[in-house]
Amino acid sequence: MTEDFETCDLTCSSPSGDPEETLKVKSWSMECEQPIFSALGGGMKLQKTVDAPRPTMSGSPGKTSLAAATSDTESGIYSVESELCVDHESELDWFCGTEQKLICSHCATVGSCQGHTVTPLATRVTRVRDKLVDVCEKMQLQALRIERFIEQTLAAKEQKLQAAASRAREQVLAQVSAAREALEEEEQRLLEEVQREEERVEQCLLTQRAHWGQALTNLSQTRSRLVHTLTHTPDAQLVTSVQEIAERVEEAEGVGEPCDTDQLSLNPCCTESKLLRGLWATAVLLGPNTSGSSCLKFDERTVSPLLSLSEDFCTLTFLHKKPRQSPPYDPARFDSWPNALGSVSMSSGTHSWVVDVGQSGAFKVGVCYASLERKGFGNEARLGHNSQSWVLSHYDGDYSFCHAGKKVPLQVARRPERVGLLLDWQSQTLLFYEPHSCAVLYSVSQNFSAPLLPAFAVTDRSITILH
């Protein structure tokens, strides 16, 4: 990383045989904050420079001298005993940008560098130091970001990894335990998959930690060398080492910036298994701890006026004509869409219920939050078209799973006469299945944030909750 420095032109004019040489120098100033210079040079401070005086000539060319733009004391430049020009025996207090070397005032006016682009040595050194200060500050900030990434992000990832891996194991073991004899081989496969995924993430974290740790070490070493160069290198050596400094800076910039990625987290898909999910559902449905639908009925308060509710509160029938007398107003009632909700709220345990849909050609069955909108024709009250409802839909011969307005087409071998639903709160799983064969129609894992209610809709004939 290099950048051209500002230069000034030194011109010489001799209109009458008695040469009078003038030097055009741009004044330059620099202000630096105390903390960075305290860190770099033990309290060294740079002061503003003044305009460079015009060069003057006296006597013969061998005695010509050119005043420097600023003294070493004024500019805060590291000073050593000045070297003399071999040709003119004058102080080397100028820098030739054309030939990239130190020269004296006579070299610039009447010598080999006459007409070249030259800069006062003090100005040149100050600019190089200014560049080094900026670079060191950037490196310091980058080092802080890397340290924060190592100490905070990677450490947090390690903690979350353990918790995520533990949850994955619990889920696998809970499902496999329901039918252990049939699932021993699948259990072993999934546990190994979780183990491999955990090891993969751990390896990624170790690799990231090692990589960024080494990057931090290299960056710190490079910065230390540059700081040492800045504070201990003589002026003459400093200005001739710009290329070496630039190479070190470019190497440091190649470190890059740390970032968090999905590769540093456990992939939840490592526990997915169609075989396990289907057999688990069968085992749970046949197990003693499942809460059946013996007490589940339609909640009369929620039934849309487009539907008719049977006397036993178990059958919904779609009305092709709106009744003359509307039901009494109730804030819980759906007034526009043909929907109804179940009477049982679910927030723990395992629940299942079966709905007879054999007579209907258009229906929806699923679950929703109690906060689902009940009024109007908007999608907020339409099952499957918002983020608060999850339903299996059958319409015009096609089956699909609907949530948040998105449809997932389902391949059904034969039209089911009944649709069963299984909700396991512990694993946050909702499963749709065909009760006769226990074939899984669709399953979804979702982080449910509130109690759920069974949800229904029908626009053709009727559906019935079975006990």
Side-chain angles (χ1 to χ4, degrees), residues 85-105:
C85 176
V86 177
D87 297 331
H88 305 100
E89 296 184 356
S90 298
E91 183 180 356
L92 296 175
D93 53 2
W94 287 82
F95 181 79
C96 176
T98 304
E99 297 187 12
Q100 294 291 306
K101 67 178 184 178
L102 296 176
I103 61 173
C104 69
S105 58

Side-chain angles (χ1 to χ4, degrees), residues 26-31 47-50 126 130:
K26 295 182 180 178
S27 63
W28 183 88
S29 63
M30 171 179 178
E31 295 180 355
Q47 301 176 356
K48 293 184 178 179
T49 62
V50 298
T126 303
D130 183 31

Side-chain angles (χ1 to χ4, degrees), residues 218-391:
N218 295 340
L219 191 67
S220 299
Q221 292 175 352
T222 302
R223 180 177 177 274
S224 298
R225 289 196 294 267
L226 290 176
V227 171
H228 185 273
T229 300
L230 175 66
T231 56
H232 294 80
T233 304
D235 298 345
Q237 183 180 351
L238 180 66
V239 297
T240 57
S241 303
V242 174
Q243 181 62 31
E244 180 182 353
I245 294 172
E247 291 176 356
R248 291 182 179 179
V249 172
E250 185 175 0
E251 178 182 355
E253 286 188 337
V255 171
E257 294 289 338
C259 62
D260 187 6
T261 65
D262 292 339
Q263 295 297 317
L264 301 178
S265 300
L266 190 81
N267 183 0
C269 295
C270 66
T271 62
E272 289 294 328
S273 169
K274 291 183 178 180
L275 174 61
L276 176 62
R277 187 64 59 83
L279 294 178
W280 164 79
T282 302
V284 170
L285 290 171
L286 298 177
N289 297 324
T290 302
S291 299
S293 60
S294 59
C295 60
L296 176 63
K297 298 181 179 181
F298 294 110
D299 186 353
E300 183 182 11
R301 294 180 56 201
T302 66
V303 176
S304 167
L306 300 175
L307 303 175
S308 172
L309 181 61
S310 63
E311 293 184 358
D312 61 358
F313 301 99
C314 291
T315 299
L316 283 178
T317 302
F318 178 70
L319 301 176
H320 293 280
K321 294 182 179 180
K322 192 173 183 179
R324 296 181 180 180
Q325 184 177 359
S326 299
Y329 174 82
D330 195 309
R333 190 183 308 280
F334 293 92
D335 63 358
S336 300
W337 292 104
N339 301 339
L341 301 181
S343 58
V344 177
S345 177
M346 300 168 289
S347 59
S348 63
T350 303
H351 304 263
S352 68
W353 61 100
V354 177
V355 183
D356 186 344
V357 296
Q359 297 184 22
S360 178
F363 63 86
K364 293 178 181 179
V365 293
V367 295
C368 71
Y369 291 138
S371 58
L372 181 71
E373 179 61 46
R374 312 299 173 87
K375 308 300 180 183
F377 283 99
N379 286 335
E380 295 79 8
R382 190 178 182 186
L383 295 180
H385 287 260
N386 48 69
S387 61
Q388 299 193 40
S389 57
W390 298 258
V391 297

Side-chain angles (χ1 to χ4, degrees), residues 430-441:
L430 174 65
L431 185 142
F432 302 89
Y433 66 98
E434 199 279 309
H436 178 71
S437 62
C438 287
V440 176
L441 301 176

Side-chain angles (χ1 to χ4, degrees), residues 103-173:
I103 61 173
C104 69
S105 58
H106 298 290
C107 292
T109 55
V110 297
S112 60
C113 293
Q114 183 179 4
H116 290 181
T117 301
V118 298
T119 307
L121 179 59
T123 302
R124 177 72 174 182
V125 171
T126 303
R127 290 172 182 167
V128 172
R129 291 179 181 278
D130 183 31
K131 283 293 184 182
L132 288 178
V133 169
D134 291 341
V135 168
C136 290
E137 286 179 343
K138 292 179 181 178
M139 288 183 180
Q140 185 178 16
L141 293 175
Q142 185 181 16
L144 291 175
R145 290 193 294 270
I146 293 176
E147 288 178 351
R148 194 179 304 115
F149 179 77
I150 293 176
E151 295 175 359
Q152 297 179 7
T153 304
L154 295 184
K157 284 293 181 181
E158 288 180 343
Q159 295 177 357
K160 292 182 179 179
L161 171 63
Q162 300 300 324
S166 177
R167 288 193 298 268
R169 290 191 186 94
E170 290 176 359
Q171 179 180 349
V172 170
L173 293 174

